[in-house]
Amino acid sequence: MNDLPNIHAEHLHLPDMESLLQKGEARPPRILLLYGSLRERSFSRLVTEEAARLLQALGAETHIFNPSGLPLPDQEDEDHPKVRQLREWVQWCDGMVWCSPERHGAMTAVMKAQIDWIPLSMGAVRPTQGKTLGLIQISGGSQSFNTLNQMRVLGRWMRMITIPNQSSVAKAYLEFDDQDRMKPSSYYDRIVDVMEELMKFTLLTRGCGDYLTQRYSERVESAEQLSARVNQRSIQESRNNGNF
């Protein structure tokens, strides 16, 4: 470490193969799916339902969260039934799928409200850290990637393992039959690609998600905070013992 004078050597951890190869619980992967529209015939909901069928066929257990009735962030407190359900499912899952239409070049307010109700921490736990994330965008017009890019930024901010693959469905109103099932197409095949990759990444990382996303800077900060608390306690004890 002589060439790295700024490094706190005790907090610089070499990659540990044993930690990387930890296996998750012996159960089906749990995937939570969110969609971003309240329309009666919502194409993002229909795509999400198709994604859930694919995940189940690949061996996953799934929940689809219905955003209808979810209040705006800060409009209600966290004890609201819809907020409580969303947060419970976020803690339950190993990975997530976000599927949002694009509106005015961005994800919908319905989608963002769901994400904003997911806290960055719950007590000492980060509920999204180390979980996998697959992304799908629905467009009424030509193909776009604006919403995918936005959701990818949010996934990174929430410490999620966002898979490389993604899907953008253009002119979604042409992609469904009269039974609201998605027609065969390259768009459908791309959704299959995303679900396959999400399952692979989830199985690969769910036992070591926390290890993959822990940070040197936070280990240093935590040590400094602990040291400050210990020193403060020592000062207080000295004062109580009349040493000042």
Side-chain angles (χ1 to χ4, degrees), residues 120-134:
L120 291 176
S121 64
M122 297 177 69
V125 178
R126 291 186 177 92
T128 53
Q129 176 169 318
K131 297 181 188 291
T132 53
L133 176 63

Side-chain angles (χ1 to χ4, degrees), residues 1-7 9 12:
M1 295 297 174
N2 292 337
D3 291 335
L4 297 170
N6 296 330
I7 284 289
L12 182 65

